[in-house]
């Protein structure tokens, strides 16, 4: 696959990281295979997780094709970039096409990035996982590479203003490849993947150099003031209800 857009974007991001003096803590990046198809599963806590997740694969020389909301591909600014970097548009009302495109990419030896939670976690802990990740890996015959991002929520996330302050630590932890076969139960395999990533997230949070009590970006279970998972789920439901009501009103 020819990439004319992706390398310059990577260069711009590297420059931005230097200007911001982002203090990366990279662990286990060698687990991203240098050749062949692989499916990277990431936690989702920020709108910039695509950028930082891709950065975690660069030490292995890989460019990640992320599955992302279709609306990003229709935007006049992000659309050309998303298409140029060969990311995969996901239309939730017609998911078969995006699934097939991801499958084709994986079989062609590409690295595809997915967020099993499907949306940003307001609690910054893991939400429930969709089973599509393990189903895709099993059908393509590629390993699942678990990746945890931490600190990205401090840049840009839901319910908080953007803050690209300098000298911020960002942790990226990559776990060992996980093999999933067509004979494995998708539900059990999904639970196992989530449990693995929950353990990785706990280790990454505890190793993070900043742990201010009461910080909005720190989970409640770690002494922060972020919503608990139950509170975050309630806020998510209320948000969906408002969107549905607004959509219904516009159609009247």
């Amino acid at each position: 696959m020819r990439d004319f857009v992706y390398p310059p974007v990577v260069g711009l991001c590297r420059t931005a990281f230097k200007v911001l003096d982002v203090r990366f803590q990279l662990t286990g990046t060698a687990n991203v295979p240098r050749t062949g198809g692989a499916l990277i599963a990431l936690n989702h806590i920020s709108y910039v997780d695509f950028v930082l997740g891709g950065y975690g694969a660069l030490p292995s020389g890989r460019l990640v094709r992320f599955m992302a909301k279709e609306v990003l591909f229709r935007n006049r600014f992000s659309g050309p970039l998303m298409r140029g970097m060969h990311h995969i548009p996901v239309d939730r009302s017609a998911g078969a096409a995006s699934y097939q495109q991801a499958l084709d990419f994986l079989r062609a030896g590409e690295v595809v990035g997915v967020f099993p939670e499907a949306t940003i976690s307001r609690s910054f802990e893991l939400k429930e996982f969709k089973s599509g990740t393990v189903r895709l890996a099993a059908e393509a015959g590629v390993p699942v590479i678990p990746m945890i991002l931490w600190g990205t929520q401090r840049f840009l996330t839901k319910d908080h203003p953007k803050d690209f302050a300098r000298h911020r630590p960002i942790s990226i932890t990559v776990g060992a490849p996980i093999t999933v076969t067509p004979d494995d139960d998708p539900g059990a395999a999904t639970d196992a993947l989530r449990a693995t990533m929950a353990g990785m997230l706990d280790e990454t949070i505890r190793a993070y150099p900043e742990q201010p009590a009461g910080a909005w970006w720190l989970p409640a279970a770690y002494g922060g003031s972020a919503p608990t998972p139950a509170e975050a789920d309630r806020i998510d439901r209320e948000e969906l209800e408002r969107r549905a009501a607004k959509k219904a009103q516009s159609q009247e």
Side-chain angles (χ1 to χ4, degrees):
M1 185 178 296
R2 293 187 176 183
D3 283 293
F4 299 107
V5 176
Y6 218 139
V9 170
V10 169
L12 287 173
C13 289
R14 286 185 185 274
T15 299
F17 296 152
K18 289 181 179 178
V19 171
L20 293 173
D21 189 29
V22 178
R23 299 178 179 178
F24 284 104
Q25 294 180 310
L26 304 178
T27 304
T29 55
N31 285 315
V32 177
R34 291 186 174 273
T35 60
L39 188 63
I40 296 182
L42 307 93
N43 65 317
H44 204 3
I45 54 177
S46 167
Y47 291 112
V48 296
D49 287 340
F50 297 96
V51 178
L52 278 304
Y55 187 83
L58 289 181
S60 291
R62 306 306 300 271
L63 298 177
V64 184
R65 319 299 176 177
F66 281 99
M67 300 185 74
K69 292 180 180 179
E70 187 268 341
V71 65
L72 294 174
F73 294 77
R74 288 187 281 110
N75 183 280
R76 64 175 178 168
F77 299 110
S78 63
L81 291 175
M82 298 297 284
R83 292 189 295 272
M85 291 186 282
H86 304 293
H87 293 313
I88 303 168
V90 177
D91 184 347
R92 292 181 181 177
S93 63
S98 58
Y99 183 95
Q100 185 60 51
Q101 185 176 356
L103 186 61
D104 292 342
F105 277 15
L106 290 168
R107 287 173 171 168
E110 296 288 337
V111 175
V112 173
V114 296
F115 298 97
E117 298 165 279
T119 187
I120 289 175
S121 169
R122 283 183 161 98
S123 71
F124 308 126
E125 297 186 58
L126 297 183
K127 298 169 66 69
E128 291 303 311
F129 279 18
K130 308 296 183 183
S131 64
T133 300
V134 299
R135 293 177 187 273
L136 187 58
E139 188 170 352
V142 301
V144 178
I145 312 296
M147 180 183 290
I148 291 295
L149 307 175
W150 191 249
T152 62
Q153 74 274 33
R154 301 176 66 184
F155 283 139
L156 183 62
T157 192
K158 288 183 175 181
D159 308 326
H160 296 277
K162 61 183 178 182
D163 181 8
F164 290 92
R166 300 185 71 237
H167 318 304
R168 184 153 290 160
I170 295 293
S171 297
I172 302 176
T173 305
V174 186
I178 298 172
T179 300
V180 186
T181 73
D183 294 330
D184 292 331
D185 176 72
T190 298
D191 290 343
L193 173 62
R194 186 180 184 279
T196 295
M197 292 180 64
M200 291 170 57
L201 177 60
D202 177 69
E203 292 178 1
T204 303
I205 293 175
R206 294 185 186 281
Y208 193 70
E210 298 179 12
Q211 304 282 344
W216 67 263
W217 49 266
L218 196 61
Y222 295 82
S225 59
T228 65
E231 292 170 340
D233 286 344
R234 175 183 57 78
I235 297 171
D236 288 345
R237 288 195 302 271
E238 292 174 351
E239 181 181 50
L240 290 174
E241 290 169 359
R242 287 194 300 271
R243 287 181 181 177
K246 184 177 181 180
K247 182 177 180 179
Q249 186 177 20
S250 67
Q251 295 175 342
E252 290 180 355

